[in-house]
Amino acid sequence: MTLDPNAALVLFSGGQDSATCLAWALSRFNRVETLGFDYGQRHRVELDVRAPLRAGLAAGFPAWGEKLGEDHVIDLSVLGQISDTALTQDAEIAMQANGLPNTFVPGRNLLFFTFAAAIAYRRGIKHIVTGVCETDYSGYPDCRDDTVKAMQVALNLGMESRFALHTPLMWIDKAATWEMARELGGAALVELIRTGSHSCYKGERETLHGWGYGCGACPACTLRAQGWQRFKAEAG
Ligand code: ZN
């Protein structure tokens, strides 16, 4: 299997992090495809913002638009059957005794990477880009750098391939993620991600805050709001 060294597949959920990663990939690779997962997430609205975000990137940044290839959406509704969490069920979002929010879906990113590699294999894509981060995150162990590096080894062994897994946000916080967007695409990209991406676990998309849409109270909104405030303070 020959993998195109100039092609990337971005795990694109529709959130701030993956939207920034999509811009990052478009600034580096010649062909960029996107992948989303429908797993019965409560914040299913994040799937609805993916197409407008892709269109916004293509319209606002024509050089990127030429590189933006196919979008893939995989039905992983089986995740809702095998796990019992506040991300896939209508339960109150809360912290658990083990320090993880009850939105943690065990192994979710492990499954995502595996399906991403299977698609990349079929599409002949060498680079797989994901927005996971262990700097200011919810503590999900499958977002850790060691997990991703171990997955890269496992996938390359198991698929007899040479995929490269990229995590451009691994060591930066949410404020720096906004700063990365500004460096990649200026104020226009920051504004597209602010208004066009979706992070809120509750799927709330009624109120536009300074940092974007959301309930303002769930762990995803809290992280996003704090990061935005630091970004604005640092940007002056
Ligand atoms: Zn929220």
Side-chain angles (χ1 to χ4, degrees):
M1 184 67 202
T2 315
L3 301 176
D4 180 353
N6 293 309
L9 178 67
V10 179
L11 281 83
F12 179 52
S13 69
Q16 175 198 349
D17 291 346
S18 69
T20 307
C21 284
L22 178 52
W24 181 90
L26 286 165
S27 72
R28 272 164 184 76
F29 301 105
N30 293 337
R31 172 167 64 102
V32 178
E33 301 189 0
T34 51
L35 171 61
F37 297 100
D38 184 352
Y39 56 98
Q41 56 268 57
R42 297 164 60 150
H43 53 314
R44 215 184 165 287
V45 63
E46 72 174 9
L47 289 173
D48 301 332
V49 306
R50 297 173 73 258
L53 259 176
R54 279 173 45 98
L57 282 169
F61 307 87
W64 291 353
E66 288 172 16
K67 303 171 168 187
L68 187 57
E70 243 180 81
D71 182 35
H72 312 267
V73 176
I74 298 183
D75 178 358
L76 272 189
S77 49
V78 66
L79 256 185
Q81 292 173 34
I82 58 177
S83 67
D84 171 21
T85 86
L87 210 57
T88 50
Q89 306 200 351
D90 191 15
E92 198 59 37
I93 296 173
M95 290 303 284
Q96 305 177 131
N98 62 2
L100 288 172
N102 62 351
T103 47
F104 175 59
V105 181
R108 180 176 55 148
N109 285 309
L110 304 181
L111 291 169
F112 287 0
F113 293 141
T114 305
F115 280 97
I119 296 227
Y121 187 95
R122 170 163 64 85
R123 304 287 299 161
I125 295 173
K126 178 176 178 66
H127 302 280
I128 297 170
V129 183
T130 157
V132 295
C133 162
E134 70 165 88
T135 303
D136 61 1
Y137 71 142
S138 295
Y140 299 162
D142 55 351
C143 291
R144 289 181 189 145
D145 190 50
D146 283 352
T147 305
V148 178
K149 288 190 162 84
M151 279 306 285
Q152 175 172 303
V153 174
L155 293 169
N156 282 329
L157 287 172
M159 298 191 192
E160 192 82 292
S161 289
R162 287 296 294 159
F163 297 116
L165 268 57
H166 298 265
T167 55
L169 311 183
M170 182 59 77
W171 303 113
I172 65 175
D173 64 16
K174 291 276 180 276
T177 302
W178 286 115
E179 178 57 26
M180 178 186 284
R182 199 185 60 76
E183 285 166 9
L184 287 166
L189 182 60
V190 171
E191 184 61 7
L192 178 66
I193 294 174
R194 185 183 80 89
T195 57
S197 71
H198 183 89
S199 303
C200 175
Y201 283 153
K202 292 191 168 169
E204 211 268 88
R205 212 161 166 76
E206 296 293 311
T207 315
L208 179 60
H209 306 269
W211 42 268
Y213 287 98
C215 73
C218 75
C221 281
T222 305
L223 271 179
R224 180 162 166 154
Q226 289 170 350
W228 175 261
Q229 280 144 17
R230 285 200 310 278
F231 168 63
K232 294 310 278 184
E234 286 159 18

